Amino acid sequence: MMKKVMNAPQAYVDEMLSGLCGAHPEYYRQFGLQNRVIGRPNAPIEGKVGIVTGGGSGHLPVFTGYVGEGLLDACAIGNVFASPTVDQIAEAIRVANGGKGVLLLYGNYGGDVMNFEMAAEMLELEDILTQTVVVADDVASAPPEDSQKRRGVAGMVLGFKTAGAKAAQGARLAEVAAVAQKTLDATRTMGVALTPCTVPEAGNPTFEIGDDEMEIGMGIHGEPGVRRGPLTTAADITREILEGILGDQPLANGDKVCAMINSLGATPPEELYIVYGHVASKLKDLGVEIAVPLVGRYATSMEMAGLSISICKLDDEIQSLLEASCDCAFWKV
Amino acid sequence: MANKLTVNSLRWAIQQIAPQMEVSAEELNALDGQLGDGDLGVTVVNGSKAILGKIALLPDDLGGSFLKCAQTLMTEGGSSFGTLLATGMMSIAKTCKGNLSVSWAEISVLMGGAIEAMARRGRSNLGDKTVLDALEAIRAALEGEQDPRVMTELADRAAAEALDRFRYLPAKQGRARIFSEKSVGLDDPGQLVIKRITEALREAK
């Protein structure tokens, strides 16, 4: 049975957005005929490269939450786990356009990719310059030789952060896009799911899983992972996920990384910190320093229990952009 | 039937397709729900209804008309299926721009361009068990044909053959790809939409 604090399922997203913008008018404002574009209240910021993302609802703080200073300029938001329309994406791009071009930075999901491409094609007619970086950080979703097919998950937040900081420094569109791409090329993510979540309009859980089971590598919409088995310890889960990540992108003695331990929704900070301890000790054994630790809810799947680990290999530029100031309702640096 | 395809032919087709989508909605939702989120019926009803609501506004320029249809679909929903069809219509719109009519034989050529654009946007190939396979079967069947009455018959037969040919093959694209093995024995929902459309046109001609 679905247990959610809500009114009509069809109103879920619109009521959520109006509450979000009502609570944080200093960060978020609704744009567009359907109010499905969330932008900074002072958008567009003239003379700055705009950054736009978009995707389905149900992942807060992704996507909408990261609209803010030193982060995103606008976001087109669809129904729960459903792509925004081409129209909404086009509107978000217009809202973000301060005359220096707009970076489109979004996760690798079929519907989102198609709709963003279509929107960009339409905006060529309006002389708005766009560049695209697609996030594909989930190592469990395709083998290395098919890495362009991977899905975009929590690692995208690091891309939002570095691209946002670069744009805030006054960089050109090509430079902002290059830094986002570099960050994401250096980032790998893998997760574990313990329980499913329920899309309000569907009413049923996105997948079924036994009370004593977990699925390593499961996608944030319930896409099948790499292995299902009995729930093991935090130490074993961490070991298995890190093996997946480091097998794909090895780290060497002396490397510095950003390590993000992200709750998929229901898993509490307590358990994230248990995992963080194991990640830190494993990396220390390898001689790797966690220069930027991030622990919390960064990219969720509503009430799904589980977590993901993202590792981003740092260079000086990525590190300084991750450490640069930013401000939104969910993240301040 | 007119000698050529004009905006009036387009209006006629939309008037046949929209009510058929209402009739088929439940069947399409159920089929889509086997492997996907089960909203394809809703998607095609909303899309076709929205276009039906615009037929009085379609300009005589065929390019403008197809563009209007594509834009309407893009406002209506975020589904990949809608965007794919809109992509096909945009391709046709670009080719027809400035023409008040095209010959019936031209339909096959326009479809070829649309299929190519849709494959690019969807990053899929013919043979992946998608709507493209149904459209390609129809395109091939209509090649060189001049008589619209015969063409609706041929199109419907080709759509049926595409369903039959792909039913027992695994899907290689979209959400169904993730459940590839389970897709064996199930019709592709997008191909079924095309079959219901060709049926509506054949019966009404």
Side-chain angles (χ1 to χ4, degrees):
Chain A
M1 199 195 98
M2 172 164 60
K3 282 175 94 176
K4 283 183 191 289
V5 182
M6 63 176 198
N7 301 305
Q10 300 77 14
Y12 191 86
V13 172
D14 292 315
E15 293 190 348
M16 175 273 290
L17 290 175
S18 103
L20 177 78
C21 296
H24 307 291
E26 70 278 31
Y27 296 119
Y28 311 120
R29 185 176 139 201
Q30 288 179 284
F31 293 84
L33 287 175
Q34 295 143 327
N35 280 323
R36 287 302 186 92
V37 173
I38 305 298
R40 291 167 66 172
N42 55 342
I45 296 164
E46 288 303 322
K48 187 184 88 71
V49 169
I51 303 176
V52 165
T53 192
S57 292
H59 303 299
L60 274 177
V62 163
F63 298 85
T64 339
Y66 293 108
V67 169
E69 202 179 316
L71 294 162
L72 308 170
D73 293 280
C75 168
I77 194 79
N79 285 333
V80 174
F81 296 178
S83 180
T85 66
V86 174
D87 247 33
Q88 290 157 353
I89 295 168
E91 182 62 17
I93 298 170
R94 288 185 201 107
V95 164
N97 178 37
K100 295 288 179 186
V102 179
L103 173 65
L104 313 183
L105 181 54
Y106 54 91
N108 192 20
Y109 294 92
D112 293 335
V113 172
M114 273 195 250
N115 289 354
F116 266 93
E117 283 185 0
M118 191 79 164
E121 188 181 328
M122 281 170 58
L123 289 179
E124 278 170 24
L125 305 171
E126 296 176 24
D127 286 329
I128 298 180
L129 189 63
T130 63
Q131 229 176 304
T132 294
V133 173
V134 175
V135 183
D137 58 321
D138 185 355
V139 294
S141 54
E145 61 273 19
D146 273 338
S147 60
Q148 81 288 350
K149 286 190 184 166
R150 286 177 176 170
R151 298 182 290 259
V153 286
M156 76 171 62
V157 175
L158 304 177
F160 295 164
K161 179 71 185 75
T162 56
K166 191 79 182 174
Q169 291 171 358
R172 289 178 295 113
L173 176 59
E175 295 168 332
V176 175
V179 106
Q181 188 67 60
K182 183 170 78 165
T183 306
L184 294 163
D185 285 346
T187 303
R188 302 287 187 282
T189 300
M190 194 159 152
V192 60
L194 311 186
T195 67
C197 61
T198 296
V199 176
E201 287 192 77
N204 302 309
T206 47
F207 59 92
E208 303 205 350
I209 187 162
D211 284 346
D212 54 353
E213 282 185 316
M214 65 174 185
E215 184 154 332
I216 297 278
M218 174 166 271
I220 54 175
H221 309 100
E223 298 94 336
V226 288
R227 184 180 78 80
R228 181 175 283 209
L231 179 60
T232 54
T233 62
D236 285 342
I237 290 172
T238 306
R239 187 177 318 118
E240 185 165 356
I241 291 180
L242 276 183
E243 270 168 20
I245 290 175
L246 300 182
D248 204 82
Q249 176 177 254
L251 293 173
N253 191 1
D255 281 345
K256 288 199 282 184
V257 298
C258 164
M260 172 188 278
I261 319 300
N262 168 58
S263 170
L264 295 179
T267 293
E270 283 83 350
E271 292 163 36
L272 303 181
Y273 283 112
I274 293 173
V275 168
Y276 180 82
H278 286 281
V279 171
S281 110
K282 168 80 180 167
L283 292 181
K284 195 176 173 201
D285 290 347
L286 296 171
V288 172
E289 181 201 342
I290 302 180
V292 183
L294 298 170
V295 180
R297 281 196 184 89
Y298 288 89
T300 65
S301 206
M302 293 196 294
E303 72 277 20
M304 189 188 282
L307 55 86
S308 66
I309 301 176
S310 303
I311 302 288
C312 171
K313 190 173 161 180
L314 302 176
D315 65 12
D316 290 344
E317 183 184 31
I318 296 175
Q319 182 175 349
S320 79
L321 293 170
L322 286 176
E323 287 169 348
S325 66
C326 75
D327 193 12
C328 71
F330 298 86
W331 196 14
K332 289 174 185 48
V333 175
Chain B
M1 283 277 177
N3 313 329
K4 290 185 149 203
L5 175 86
T6 65
V7 67
N8 281 330
S9 337
L10 193 57
R11 289 191 180 115
W12 174 85
I14 295 163
Q15 282 164 333
Q16 312 313 315
I17 293 168
Q20 177 67 52
M21 293 298 102
E22 303 254 13
V23 172
S24 306
E26 211 167 302
E27 167 195 34
L28 292 168
N29 281 338
L31 180 59
D32 184 42
Q34 302 264 349
L35 300 175
D37 40 13
D39 63 356
L40 185 64
V42 180
T43 301
V44 296
V45 167
N46 289 346
S48 57
K49 231 197 229 165
I51 293 178
L52 183 64
K54 296 273 164 72
I55 56 171
L57 305 175
L58 296 181
D60 289 340
D61 169 27
L62 267 182
S65 278
F66 276 104
L67 183 65
K68 185 88 191 157
C69 292
Q71 285 167 336
T72 305
L73 266 189
M74 287 188 283
T75 326
E76 198 43 47
S79 86
S80 333
F81 192 73
T83 304
L84 260 191
L85 293 188
T87 301
M89 289 178 194
M90 288 265 275
S91 149
I92 294 175
K94 284 177 190 166
T95 315
C96 294
K97 200 175 167 193
N99 291 312
L100 301 180
S101 67
V102 296
S103 74
W104 295 109
E106 189 78 9
I107 288 186
S108 172
V109 179
L110 292 173
M111 284 185 73
I115 292 166
E116 221 171 272
M118 292 165 76
R120 230 180 0 253
R121 177 132 296 146
R123 292 172 177 63
S124 68
N125 300 306
L126 291 177
D128 284 354
K129 192 174 179 177
T130 69
V131 64
L132 293 185
D133 296 308
L135 295 176
E136 169 58 21
I138 294 170
R139 184 207 63 76
L142 298 187
E143 223 167 344
E145 293 294 333
Q146 309 273 5
D147 179 347
R149 280 178 196 79
V150 177
M151 289 168 78
T152 56
E153 293 283 348
L154 290 173
D156 193 42
R157 200 177 311 154
E161 282 166 5
L163 280 171
D164 290 341
R165 185 147 32 96
F166 284 93
R167 188 166 299 127
Y168 293 99
L169 295 177
K172 294 185 197 156
Q173 191 43 246
R175 196 175 160 83
R177 173 180 64 90
I178 303 172
F179 305 100
S180 200
E181 278 158 36
K182 289 193 205 156
S183 71
V184 174
L186 290 176
D187 283 334
D188 174 67
Q191 293 182 5
L192 188 60
V193 171
I194 300 303
K195 173 70 176 88
R196 294 295 174 252
I197 289 176
T198 56
E199 252 167 51
L201 298 181
R202 191 203 64 198
E203 282 165 17
K205 66 178 159 139

